[in-house]
Amino acid sequence: MHDDFVANLRLLCSYYPSIAEVCRRLEINRAQFNRYLTGRYRPRHAAMGRVCAFFGVEEHELYLPHDDFRTLVQAGRAARGSPRGGGVAWPDELLERGREGMARYLGCYFEYYHSMSRPGHLIRTLVCLEERESGIVYQRTERMQTPANSRPFHNRYRGVVVRLADRIFLVDHETLNGHEVTQTILFPSFRSQVTRLTGLKLGVADNSERMPCCVRVLYERLDEQVGLRQALSQCGLLALDDPGLDAELLAAVRNDVAPGEQHFRARHQGDG
């Protein structure tokens, strides 16, 4: 049990650039926190409360078997008991109307778009949509690695999905630092099986500039046999000449403006 607690706490810390950053935000002495990470001590009641509140988990979840906890975090189920996708306030009637026709879209996707903070690269993230009693919610997980840090860190976003008048709207907020809200609008699929969806995404660059950006985006449906750990390991920054990127995908996320266009528009590529 104690080993699982240590592994789970280390996983949560991996979503941040450094342990020092976690300690600073928690206002816990680094030496003391290191004792938690090595398993020498367990946080007492007050410290445990701060840890749970900071990471957005329940105390009992920290003692789950590590594989179960990893799945809980990465699949977006840590907010299972939270209404409307982790606290996003939406009218009940809108959530109810917006879930119509969404059953065929539930599941996990790779999301592709040109990185807002690393120009010249694509980014691949993991997005998981699921149905709750209140409506359709999702978690989007970014896996990033910097040259200064050999271990990847993660950004996690939770949000709500509604389908209104043949458009799919996704609105989420970043849960670990609380620095960002993003909106994505996708075309629905008119094929018998959902494989790819395209649209536009609005957010800010995840760097000191925090420049508002709009990019074309593509969602690619994952096979149900692909495990979440395997899928997340494939996420991150991609070179534009990556052999795993096909021409149709690259064309769908290209951020060019055609002659005569007065707006930056989504392009309906279909889901081939």
Side-chain angles (χ1 to χ4, degrees):
M1 178 182 292
H2 206 65
D3 290 341
D4 286 324
F5 172 83
V6 170
N8 294 341
L9 184 59
R10 286 182 174 274
L11 174 63
L12 292 174
C13 290
S14 74
Y15 283 76
Y16 284 80
S18 69
I19 299 300
E21 174 73 4
V22 173
C23 294
R24 183 181 68 81
R25 293 178 177 272
L26 276 172
E27 297 183 351
I28 291 179
N29 179 273
R30 173 68 182 270
Q32 181 64 33
F33 195 76
N34 281 342
R35 296 187 182 100
Y36 305 153
L37 293 175
T38 59
R40 292 178 59 192
Y41 294 97
R42 188 177 70 180
R44 295 190 178 183
H45 180 72
M48 180 68 81
R50 285 155 62 189
V51 168
C52 291
F54 177 73
F55 288 116
V57 297
E58 301 293 334
E59 181 174 351
H60 71 87
E61 292 175 338
L62 286 170
Y63 292 96
L64 289 172
H66 183 58
D67 286 344
D68 293 345
F69 184 79
R70 181 188 293 273
T71 299
L72 188 77
V73 171
Q74 293 176 351
R77 303 179 187 274
R80 184 181 300 276
S82 300
R84 299 176 180 86
V88 179
W90 290 63
D92 290 340
E93 61 273 17
L94 182 63
L95 290 173
E96 187 60 33
R97 182 160 60 95
R99 74 197 301 169
E100 294 179 5
M102 281 298 301
R104 65 195 302 261
Y105 298 100
L106 301 181
C108 292
Y109 298 78
F110 279 143
E111 175 193 48
Y112 296 88
Y113 58 93
H114 280 265
S115 173
M116 301 176 186
S117 58
R118 294 287 301 276
H121 294 79
L122 292 188
I123 185 169
R124 178 195 283 146
T125 75
L126 178 64
V127 181
C128 296
L129 281 67
E130 60 178 301
E131 186 169 20
R132 305 258 181 90
E133 183 177 351
S134 59
I136 309 300
V137 299
Y138 70 102
Q139 173 163 301
R140 183 166 60 87
T141 305
E142 293 178 349
R143 178 180 181 271
M144 302 294 287
Q145 191 161 0
T146 63
N149 195 336
S150 60
R151 295 183 60 189
F153 64 94
H154 303 78
N155 291 321
R156 186 173 63 192
Y157 302 77
R158 292 179 184 148
V160 178
V161 187
V162 292
R163 180 180 177 182
L164 303 170
D166 278 337
R167 296 293 180 264
I168 300 172
F169 297 83
L170 303 92
V171 180
D172 62 48
H173 66 286
E174 197 274 320
T175 64
L176 296 176
N177 297 305
H179 290 167
E180 186 178 355
V181 172
T182 68
Q183 180 178 359
T184 302
I185 304 176
L186 302 172
F187 293 108
S189 171
F190 298 103
R191 297 175 181 260
S192 59
Q193 291 187 334
V194 179
T195 55
R196 286 183 170 180
L197 305 170
T198 58
L200 291 180
K201 183 183 193 68
L202 179 67
V204 299
D206 186 19
N207 54 28
S208 58
E209 187 181 27
R210 291 186 55 77
M211 180 62 68
C213 300
C214 184
V215 294
R216 292 194 175 96
V217 64
L218 180 141
Y219 276 43
E220 183 176 52
R221 187 72 168 266
L222 292 184
D223 190 292
E224 293 182 356
Q225 302 303 314
V226 177
L228 292 172
R229 183 181 300 182
Q230 177 186 354
L232 192 61
S233 70
Q234 299 177 44
C235 292
L237 292 173
L238 303 172
L240 296 180
D241 59 355
D242 189 297
L245 302 174
D246 60 76
E248 183 182 3
L249 186 155
L250 291 171
V253 299
R254 184 178 298 122
N255 292 320
D256 58 335
V257 178
E261 287 186 341
Q262 302 300 316
H263 307 91
F264 187 71
R265 298 165 53 91
R267 292 182 182 156
H268 199 317
Q269 299 287 327
D271 59 335

